[in-house]
Amino acid sequence: MPTDPPTRSPMTSSTWRALGNTYLVVEPHGARLDSAAAAILAQGSDGVLEVLELSADRVEIAIWNPDGSPAELSGNGTRIAAAWLAARSGSEQLTVVVGDRTVTARMLGDGSIEQDMGEVEVGREETIDGIELTPVTVGNPHAVVIGDPSAITEIGPHLETHARFPNRTNVQVVRIDRPGEVTARVWERGVGETASSGTSAVAIAAATHEDGDVLVHFPGGDLRVRLDGGRAMLYGSAERMS
C-alpha cells in the first residue's frame, strides 16, 4: 500500500531586527529547511534563523544566509534568537546554541542584551594582494582591514572569495577614531554589505584592542564589545518587526 507523506505543521515565523540586520525566525514545523527553501524565505532579509529545539531558557538554531548557505554564527542573529525566546517564555537568562557554539545571553533592564560570545582567536597580520589584514575567528571567519570604511565595496568582495579563504570570509574595513572607539563597514559572507554585524564587532574589537570596552559604529547603529582575557561580551538590542 502507498505510504502517506509525513505531515508538516503550518510554518510560523516572525521578523526581527537588530541594528539594521533583519532576520526571519522560523519555528519548528515538522521538517528541516534546506538551502533552496532557506534562500527563498530569506529574500529581502539578512537571513533566516531556523529554530530546531527549544525550552524555556534554551534554543538551538540553524542560521541561513540569504544565498542559502549555512552560517556558523551571527552575533546579531543569536541576540535576536535570545530576544525571541525571552518574549516567548519570560526568561531573562538564556542559552542560544548554533552548531558547536554556545552563546549565553542576559536580558538587561535598559532593553539591551548582554551576550557572552566566548573565545576570540586573533591571527597574525598578513598581506593579500597588497591588502594588510588581521584574520580573526569568532566561531566564524573574519578578515579585519584598517583603512577607510568606504573601501568595503571593493575590498569586501575581493577578500570574501579569495583563495586564502577556501570557505570564504566576512570582511570589515575599520577606522580607529580613538582608543576604545572605531567606525566600520561590513561585507558579510554570502550576504554582501550589511548595516551591522555582531560577530564583526567582536572581530574588529579584538583585532584593534587587547582588553576593555570598544564602541563600534556601524551604518545601522552602535554595538559595544568588552574584551577580557581573550573572551568577548557583546551588547546590543533586538526588536520584533512583525
Side-chain angles (χ1 to χ4, degrees):
M1 295 180 63
T3 302
D4 292 334
T7 301
R8 295 189 181 189
S9 303
M11 182 181 296
T12 301
S13 63
S14 53
T15 303
W16 292 71
R17 178 173 58 199
L19 272 75
N21 275 172
T22 302
Y23 280 90
L24 183 72
V25 179
V26 175
E27 300 182 28
H29 59 288
R32 285 290 311 274
L33 296 177
D34 57 23
S35 294
I40 292 172
L41 288 172
Q43 290 181 11
S45 73
D46 292 299
V48 173
L49 307 179
E50 181 186 9
V51 177
L52 305 179
E53 295 182 7
L54 74 156
S55 63
D57 59 1
R58 181 186 183 278
V59 59
E60 182 178 351
I61 63 173
I63 304 175
W64 298 92
N65 291 320
D67 65 355
S69 62
E72 297 101 328
L73 189 64
S74 165
N76 286 347
T78 52
R79 191 164 66 258
I80 285 173
W84 173 85
L85 182 56
R88 181 187 183 103
S89 68
S91 298
E92 295 184 354
Q93 302 278 352
L94 308 123
T95 299
V96 181
V97 178
V98 186
D100 60 359
R101 192 86 170 189
T102 297
V103 174
T104 58
R106 182 166 65 99
M107 311 302 291
L108 303 179
D110 61 0
S112 63
I113 302 170
E114 175 189 76
Q115 295 172 271
D116 185 345
M117 301 299 294
E119 295 183 356
V120 185
E121 298 179 12
V122 180
R124 293 183 178 180
E125 292 184 8
E126 56 187 270
T127 301
I128 297 176
D129 297 339
I131 303 171
E132 295 183 1
L133 64 91
T134 300
V136 182
T137 300
V138 190
N140 57 355
H142 296 266
V144 181
V145 178
I146 305 299
D148 183 346
S150 67
I152 192 65
T153 53
E154 296 180 4
I155 294 175
H158 181 73
L159 291 181
E160 178 198 3
T161 57
H162 195 276
R164 160 66 175 80
F165 305 103
N167 295 318
R168 298 186 294 170
T169 188
N170 302 289
V171 183
Q172 304 81 28
V173 182
V174 53
R175 180 185 72 237
I176 301 175
D177 300 319
R178 58 186 59 85
E181 188 172 356
V182 300
T183 297
R185 287 170 63 178
V186 177
W187 187 272
E188 286 198 45
R189 177 182 53 170
V191 183
E193 186 176 6
T194 60
S196 72
S197 166
T199 57
S200 290
V202 172
I204 289 166
T208 58
H209 295 74
E210 292 187 0
D211 278 324
D213 288 351
V214 182
L215 182 63
V216 184
H217 301 294
F218 289 118
D222 298 343
L223 285 171
R224 182 166 61 90
V225 178
R226 176 171 295 169
L227 301 170
D228 184 7
R231 296 184 67 88
M233 304 294 289
L234 178 65
Y235 300 83
S237 60
E239 60 182 348
R240 180 169 180 167
M241 298 175 62
S242 63

